[in-house]
Amino acid sequence: MAGQVLLVEDDRSLRQTLTKALELGGYRVVQAESIAEGTLSFSTMINRSDSEAIKLIIVDLGLPDGDGASLIRWVRTQSSVPLIIISARYDDNSKVNLLDAGADDYLVKPFSFTELMARIRVAMRHRHQDENPAPRIYRASGIEIDLQRHQVIRHGERVRLTPTEFKLLERLMLQSGQVVTHRQLLADVWGAEFVEHTHYLRLYMAQLRNKLEEVPSQPKLLITEPGIGYRLSEAEPI
Amino acid sequence: MPSQVNRALPFRERHWYGILVWIMAWSLMWWLDGDFVFQNLALILVLASAVAGLWIGPLTSLLINTLSIFYFSYFFVNPRLSFTPALREDLMLLVSVYGVSTVISYLTVRLRRAVTSEALQAARTSQLRLLSEQLREATGWLAKVDVLRKLLADHAGVPAYILLTRSQLAVCDGHQFEFFGEPSPFQKQRLILEWKPFSVDPSTLSKADDSARAIPIRGREKTWGVVVFHDGFEPSTDWLGYPHFRDLCYQLGIELERYIALVQAREANEQVRTQAIRNTLLTAISHDYHTPLSTIMGAASVLVEQTKGDRHAEFAGLASTIVEETEQLHRMTNNTLQMARLDAVGIELNKNWESLEEIIGTVIARIKRRCSDRQFIVHLPPDLPLLHVDVVLLMQLLDNVLQNSLKYSRDESVITIDAVSADHEVFIRLSDCGEGIPGWWHEKVFEIFQRVDGVDLPSDGRTGRQPRRGAGVGLAVCRAIARVHGGRIWIEDNPGGGTRVNIALPIGAPPALPLSASEELT
């Protein structure tokens, strides 16, 4: 069994469908239809034995007794369990704030089973990384990033990166497969005072794509999450 | 008829009346001569001078007074038939009578003029007030203009013709002008000619030439039209002259302004109300669709996953169809929701400095997730500036345009996207080699609920005639998105066949870069 998932969703049909989907994916599901119920379930199960503990939380942002954000903030004060947000719209700004506040990833309705499973898989993997040392080597789409040796190899040839480019890539690799918000990238690469300067990112990402992507205008590695941030594709299994 | 003007003023200047008074006075003096001494008769002179002053001007009065005193001295004062009086007392009397009658006649003239001007003013004011009431009571602007026209014709004694510009009235049905008073073609030409100087620069009208026969209909802010009278009309110089006509026309100008403002306010209110209802409805419906769509998508995508590589390949196909249709429905819902949002007053955009390359890349990546076999060629110059846009909206714009291109072109054909920056704009061109859109539809497709339906287009070789889907919101949303960004979108024929959609977006002043970037960015 892959573990127990807490699903907080008020719409009954969607909740049941997602439960079925998660069960097919090998998860056990604890359902909750409001923030109150979700909070209760989480606090009673947080201290259970490993097999019963909640390994992941999926929260819809539009809940009857709040917007889900309060639940996320509360959970983050309690534990570092992976959190995935379900948002109704692309232009919903609250999800960026929630990602900055510690949510792991987001999905916009309507999403497919494959997308859901991919997000869960990545979130779970990063959760394990918190416990085990993070990999120092990343491989995908003919690119190899080696943090130890501080080098990037593309099709066997070393790519020359500027220090900022490398730092940017390193930050994305830390959460490969997961979205990293503009704010997080700017704060970690340039410093906290630069969090509003998203145009830095545009220019550096364009340059990184020119160096690493086959077709920079149709990237496979450095994925844009419009209005939110960037995502380095999930590493290929070694 | 209340508008009828009373042209009879008290004591208008009438010289014959004055002369008649004098004739009567002299007759009386001749008749009484002998019965009374001339000293008494001299008082008749004073009386006549005072009464005649009511009808004759000051100079005439002075002249007649002077002549009278000599005449009186010659015929009545002793010695008769001589200009020199015998006694010094008589000379004194003559001088006194002359002085008194001159002063009295002068005062009478002054008094008369004051009374006349007051009566004139009162008559004008009351007429303006009356007209203003009549204009207000008249329903509709046509009736209002007619009230003025009838009044002017009445005063002038000849037909009056009015030209009104329709553009000011917001009633455009192809005609530029509205004519009143059934003018002949010649009169119409005259009206248009007379209108021209007024339409060019209304500010010059403040000192309009009184001798001009065309009278502008002006309000406080704009000029509405012009009045001319039938040939041969000369404006009178009395109180019903040009200035009063101009004041009457001004009343109409003001009333039209008031009326149009009222109508516009009423219409705007109505429009805001219906739009608000429509938007609330659309938002509610679209918003409520999201969750059921997610459920369908979730369920169907599980089916796709579970039947993959299965012996039930047809089930996988059916499940994929559900997924595709759900995505389509989701796109349409999003468009409707966005249309309602963009229509709303005071929409706030979430603008940021964005890279066009990233946006196009993301849109293509999302499309390729659904139709992986479609080919896109993207040509973007490396020095393309960042754009200050709402990325979600711009993506929706590009996605809608590309969806259309995909829908109406063959699977194996290529869609080309290129961009150039020129002056203050970035031009994005999306070209397909599809069926194309007939020229007369190039503008119409951007109107909401318009589709190229029922137009005989060449059929798609692959599937035959494709059913056209969507309610025609997609491109309307595109135009609305371009508009809120201060940009434009238009369609032209692709030189190689098919359609080319052009998008122009303004380039802002991009923010500065860190100093270290100059070494790192190439």
Side-chain angles (χ1 to χ4, degrees):
Chain A
M1 269 296 168
Q4 191 132 279
V5 173
L6 172 61
L7 171 66
V8 192
E9 164 62 57
D10 61 328
D11 185 82
R12 198 170 57 91
S13 309
L14 182 57
R15 195 171 63 238
Q16 285 173 353
T17 308
L18 287 179
T19 304
K20 291 253 165 58
L22 288 164
E23 282 170 358
L24 281 169
Y27 298 94
R28 276 171 294 130
V29 182
V30 179
Q31 297 181 30
E33 56 182 81
S34 64
I35 294 176
E37 208 180 313
T39 314
L40 186 71
S41 305
F42 185 72
S43 50
T44 52
M45 301 179 96
I46 189 168
N47 294 323
R48 297 275 178 88
S49 63
D50 195 51
S51 65
E52 293 229 319
I54 287 180
K55 295 280 170 56
L56 181 101
I57 305 180
I58 299 173
V59 191
D60 190 344
L61 286 185
L63 289 167
D65 55 345
D67 66 352
S70 52
L71 178 68
I72 291 162
R73 297 214 169 84
W74 177 78
V75 167
R76 271 290 163 264
T77 62
Q78 305 289 313
S79 118
S80 61
V81 61
L83 256 164
I84 293 174
I85 309 161
I86 301 174
S87 168
R89 283 162 57 175
Y90 271 111
D91 50 359
D92 179 2
N93 281 326
S94 60
K95 61 179 178 286
V96 184
N97 297 334
L98 292 173
L99 288 168
D100 283 332
D104 288 73
D105 220 322
Y106 73 98
L107 285 161
V108 176
K109 286 180 189 174
F111 49 85
S112 71
F113 174 71
T114 329
E115 276 177 282
L116 174 68
M117 286 303 145
R119 294 284 191 277
I120 293 178
R121 194 175 59 241
V122 174
M124 290 288 212
R125 184 162 53 77
H126 284 285
R127 167 83 176 136
H128 286 300
Q129 272 174 21
D130 288 348
E131 292 153 10
N132 310 316
R136 305 291 284 167
I137 292 182
Y138 166 96
R139 280 193 199 91
S141 309
I143 299 289
E144 185 185 295
I145 309 171
D146 190 332
L147 294 186
Q148 198 83 43
R149 295 185 187 165
H150 208 275
Q151 68 179 19
V152 178
I153 309 284
R154 181 182 167 199
H155 299 312
E157 275 182 40
R158 193 169 164 181
V159 185
R160 293 181 64 84
L161 295 184
T162 68
T164 314
E165 285 167 359
F166 196 85
K167 267 161 84 180
L168 193 58
L169 204 55
E170 188 180 358
R171 176 63 187 86
L172 285 166
M173 189 187 142
L174 208 69
Q175 265 177 272
S176 63
Q178 266 186 335
V179 64
V180 187
T181 63
H182 295 140
R183 186 175 272 270
Q184 287 166 344
L185 283 173
L186 286 162
D188 293 348
V189 176
W190 279 272
E193 65 271 35
F194 293 97
V195 291
E196 299 298 327
H197 296 48
T198 41
H199 60 287
Y200 290 12
L201 285 174
R202 311 273 176 238
L203 299 168
Y204 277 94
M205 288 305 290
Q207 203 157 276
L208 265 180
R209 285 196 181 114
N210 280 335
K211 292 181 180 177
L212 303 180
E213 296 281 1
E214 297 285 340
V215 186
S217 59
Q218 295 175 41
K220 293 197 159 46
L221 204 64
L222 297 157
I223 311 296
T224 312
E225 294 287 336
I228 295 175
Y230 293 93
R231 185 194 298 272
L232 182 66
S233 307
E234 223 182 322
E236 284 160 6
I238 305 161
Chain B
M1 205 172 130
S3 73
Q4 200 69 46
V5 214
N6 179 15
R7 292 186 80 142
L9 284 168
F11 312 118
R12 287 164 64 90
E13 209 152 283
R14 287 189 180 97
H15 287 95
W16 282 113
Y17 281 31
I19 289 164
L20 195 68
V21 168
W22 278 109
I23 291 171
M24 280 163 65
W26 283 111
S27 310
L28 189 67
M29 276 193 279
W30 282 114
W31 186 51
L32 296 176
D33 190 24
D35 297 345
F36 291 90
V37 291
F38 75 88
Q39 285 88 343
N40 293 350
L41 293 178
L43 290 175
I44 297 177
L45 277 184
V46 178
L47 182 68
S49 166
V51 176
L54 290 174
W55 290 287
I56 53 180
L59 277 177
T60 324
S61 268
L62 188 71
L63 185 71
I64 295 178
N65 278 344
T66 314
L67 284 175
S68 299
I69 214 74
F70 281 111
Y71 186 83
F72 186 75
S73 160
Y74 191 76
F75 288 108
F76 289 87
V77 180
N78 292 329
R80 296 199 179 207
L81 302 177
S82 151
F83 283 112
T84 326
L87 300 171
R88 288 176 66 197
E89 289 85 348
D90 294 346
L91 180 65
M92 188 65 204
L93 176 80
L94 284 180
V95 170
S96 305
V97 166
Y98 179 66
V100 169
S101 55
T102 306
V103 168
I104 288 181
S105 71
Y106 173 71
L107 289 176
T108 316
V109 168
R110 284 280 302 266
L111 182 70
R112 170 173 60 91
R113 288 200 168 165
V115 168
T116 310
S117 125
E118 202 174 301
L120 252 179
Q121 202 52 45
R124 280 188 190 139
T125 314
S126 91
Q127 186 172 45
L128 286 173
R129 205 191 55 238
L130 201 68
L131 175 67
S132 138
E133 277 168 20
Q134 284 176 328
L135 286 174
R136 216 167 262 250
E137 280 165 17
T139 44
W141 58 279
L142 292 166
K144 289 176 196 291
V145 178
D146 238 31
V147 166
L148 177 80
R149 190 188 59 77
K150 283 189 185 134
L151 179 70
L152 290 179
D154 202 29
H155 283 2
V158 289
Y161 307 110
I162 296 182
L163 167 152
L164 231 58
T165 49
R166 283 173 166 268
S167 57
Q168 308 273 42
L169 293 158
V171 275
C172 290
D173 54 2
H175 298 288
Q176 200 183 351
F177 303 119
E178 180 78 30
F179 295 98
F180 295 81
E182 294 170 6
S184 62
F186 170 72
Q187 297 289 5
K188 282 188 181 177
Q189 279 307 313
R190 239 191 87 203
L191 279 164
I192 293 170
L193 281 177
E194 297 280 12
W195 163 247
K196 274 199 176 128
F198 296 128
S199 64
V200 175
D201 184 12
S203 66
T204 58
L205 293 177
S206 51
K207 293 199 173 168
D209 181 8
D210 277 15
S211 65
R213 284 188 301 175
I215 307 171
I217 298 175
R218 291 165 56 213
R220 285 194 186 86
E221 283 155 16
K222 45 192 168 193
T223 309
W224 296 90
V226 67
V227 180
V228 300
F229 292 97
H230 197 74
D231 295 338
F233 169 71
E234 288 298 330
S236 77
T237 50
D238 67 0
W239 71 282
L240 277 176
Y242 186 85
H244 185 59
F245 279 178
R246 209 172 47 187
D247 288 348
L248 291 172
C249 291
Y250 183 59
Q251 289 290 321
L252 177 66
I254 289 181
E255 174 60 19
L256 284 179
E257 258 170 25
R258 191 193 68 88
Y259 176 71
I260 298 298
L262 204 74
V263 169
Q264 280 172 346
R266 205 181 303 146
E267 275 174 5
N269 266 341
E270 188 65 18
Q271 208 176 347
V272 165
R273 218 168 50 87
T274 49
Q275 202 166 321
I277 293 173
R278 194 187 78 187
N279 287 352
T280 314
L281 208 66
L282 287 180
T283 310
I285 293 171
S286 313
H287 202 265
D288 288 354
Y289 278 10
H290 276 294
T291 306
L293 280 175
S294 305
T295 312
I296 299 171
M297 173 70 104
S301 60
V302 169
L303 286 180
V304 171
E305 202 60 28
Q306 294 297 308
T307 48
K308 215 180 249 177
D310 204 70
R311 53 203 159 89
H312 307 295
E314 66 273 30
F315 291 144
L318 290 173
S320 300
T321 308
I322 302 178
V323 170
E324 281 162 26
E325 292 302 292
T326 311
E327 278 172 347
Q328 173 69 16
L329 192 55
H330 175 241
R331 252 196 315 280
M332 296 195 302
T333 311
N334 259 351
N335 277 334
T336 314
L337 192 63
Q338 208 61 268
M339 198 67 223
R341 235 185 107 222
L342 293 172
D343 259 1
V345 192
I347 172 187
E348 263 185 44
L349 297 184
N350 187 15
K351 278 190 181 180
N352 219 323
W353 289 99
E354 305 283 353
S355 139
L356 190 60
E357 188 176 32
E358 280 186 0
I359 295 174
I360 291 175
T362 312
V363 173
I364 291 179
R366 285 195 186 160
I367 290 175
K368 282 203 157 182
R369 250 189 278 165
R370 299 189 294 268
C371 358
S372 53
D373 50 340
R374 294 306 297 250
Q375 288 299 307
F376 295 91
I377 296 177
V378 184
H379 292 296
L380 298 177
D383 58 345
L384 210 58
L386 294 179
L387 294 175
H388 200 229
V389 291
D390 185 318
V391 66
V392 174
L393 289 183
L394 191 58
M395 281 179 58
Q396 192 167 2
L397 191 169
L398 294 171
D399 187 62
N400 281 343
V401 172
L402 289 177
Q403 288 298 339
N404 260 8
S405 301
L406 290 174
K407 212 187 306 178
Y408 300 128
S409 62
R410 290 161 194 268
D411 275 357
E412 63 274 17
S413 73
V414 175
I415 292 170
T416 314
I417 305 168
D418 57 356
V420 285
S421 67
D423 295 333
H424 307 294
E425 283 178 310
V426 165
F427 294 91
I428 309 164
R429 296 190 300 187
L430 305 105
S431 320
D432 68 51
C433 311
E435 302 167 7
I437 296 174
W440 63 92
W441 271 92
H442 284 182
E443 265 305 302
K444 221 168 160 60
V445 287
F446 289 109
E447 289 168 27
I448 194 163
F449 304 136
Q450 294 287 349
R451 295 185 306 161
V452 196
D453 265 335
V455 179
D456 198 18
L457 292 174
S459 70
D460 186 311
R462 178 173 45 94
T463 57
R465 187 68 189 280
Q466 275 214 333
R468 285 156 202 283
R469 312 168 60 186
V473 179
L475 284 173
V477 171
C478 290
R479 177 153 279 182
I481 292 174
R483 195 194 64 227
V484 295
H485 282 95
R488 293 166 288 143
I489 180 167
W490 71 99
I491 285 179
E492 55 191 26
D493 289 329
N494 192 20
T499 306
R500 173 181 286 169
V501 180
N502 296 277
I503 302 159
L505 293 170
I507 302 174
L513 281 171
L515 285 173
S516 60
S518 54
E519 302 156 15
E520 295 199 345
L521 290 172
T522 48

